[in-house]
Amino acid sequence: SKALGLGAGHYALDAACATSLYAIKIACDELLTGKTDLMLAGAVCASDQLFIHMGFSIFHAYAPTSEKFVPLDKTSAGLVSSEGAGMVVLKRLEDAERDGDNILGIIGGIGLSNDGRGKFLLSPNPKGQRLAFERAYNGNQIDPKNTSYLECHATGTPLGDVTELNSISDYFVDHNVKPLLGSVKSNMGHLLTAAGMTGLLKVLLAMQKNVIPPNINLEEPVLAENEWI
């Protein structure tokens, strides 16, 4: 904020892989309450790589050199971390239309949840994931049947991908809809604190180009417990 000469309110936060999405949520709240008319929301991942590699090695999260990193694939043995940064400009829709801005997308709703005390960092809670869906859709009067694509977190870790896919299946099968799935980590690795931003930018570019980038090297898709996919 100092480098850009911003004099208004600003926040710095760390919510691990959800950091950029939490930044967007906070920015939207500021806009909805009328505290501001424009917000910049972004995330940066530029950590000391030795520290990152040591940490994820302790967690056994990396794919061994002899095995594959392929999000949403049965044979994926772990993740690959990477670096980057991203930022979006957010305004209220009526203000953006009034000002003639180039509108890339509209946020119809946000759903958050927190697992609280869990088994392990890499063991997501399916109940928390479903709760996020319910809050995003039910809390904003959005029909799940209008969902054509889901950008997944899907890091390539076996337990994480299976849990996420089962959560997606359990929620959307109740609404008789099967959206397409993908993960930008297949194309550029896991940006950790900036992971959500890369997923958002992928979706915006896919809408612009009318093309969804495929998950590279995907050969044996992970199946949900009810073989929904």
Side-chain angles (χ1 to χ4, degrees), residues 74-215:
K74 290 181 180 179
T75 61
S76 183
L79 61 83
V80 169
S81 60
S82 52
E83 296 180 292
M87 184 172 289
V88 291
V89 178
L90 300 170
K91 297 175 69 173
R92 289 181 292 271
L93 178 60
E94 58 269 26
D95 292 348
E97 292 175 332
R98 178 201 63 204
D99 298 339
D101 294 328
N102 181 24
I103 301 172
L104 301 180
I106 299 172
I107 298 174
I110 298 175
L112 300 177
S113 71
N114 193 309
D115 287 351
R117 181 180 296 176
K119 296 179 181 178
F120 182 58
L121 177 65
L122 302 179
S123 300
N125 189 331
K127 292 182 180 179
Q129 294 184 347
R130 183 182 177 96
L131 182 60
F133 284 128
E134 293 173 348
R135 288 173 172 171
Y137 285 94
N138 302 343
N140 298 282
Q141 292 76 53
I142 300 173
D143 190 343
K145 293 184 178 180
N146 293 327
T147 302
S148 57
Y149 175 75
L150 283 177
E151 173 62 21
C152 303
H153 184 53
T155 63
T157 57
L159 178 60
D161 286 8
V162 170
T163 302
E164 183 175 8
L165 188 59
N166 283 333
S167 300
I168 292 170
S169 174
D170 290 343
Y171 180 79
F172 284 93
V173 74
D174 292 343
H175 299 87
N176 195 31
V177 60
K178 295 183 178 181
L180 298 174
L181 308 177
S183 172
V184 72
K185 295 174 186 65
S186 166
N187 309 91
M188 59 194 309
H190 189 350
L191 267 76
L192 309 178
T193 48
M197 186 60 66
T198 59
L200 173 62
L201 295 179
K202 171 190 170 180
V203 171
L204 291 174
L205 287 169
M207 292 194 298
Q208 282 186 314
K209 306 296 183 180
N210 201 31
V211 174
I212 299 174
N215 275 36

Side-chain angles (χ1 to χ4, degrees), residues 21-99:
L21 301 182
Y22 266 93
I24 290 172
K25 173 63 166 65
I26 292 173
C28 288
D29 288 346
E30 294 288 295
L31 292 167
L32 290 173
T33 57
K35 292 182 179 179
T36 183
D37 296 322
L38 183 149
M39 290 291 290
L40 297 177
V44 177
C45 179
S47 304
D48 184 309
Q49 285 301 298
L50 177 59
F51 175 79
I52 294 298
H53 288 310
M54 288 176 60
F56 279 100
S57 295
I58 292 171
F59 291 153
H60 300 287
Y62 279 133
T65 54
S66 59
E67 300 186 50
K68 295 198 299 183
F69 157 67
V70 186
L72 298 176
D73 192 292
K74 290 181 180 179
T75 61
S76 183
L79 61 83
V80 169
S81 60
S82 52
E83 296 180 292
M87 184 172 289
V88 291
V89 178
L90 300 170
K91 297 175 69 173
R92 289 181 292 271
L93 178 60
E94 58 269 26
D95 292 348
E97 292 175 332
R98 178 201 63 204
D99 298 339

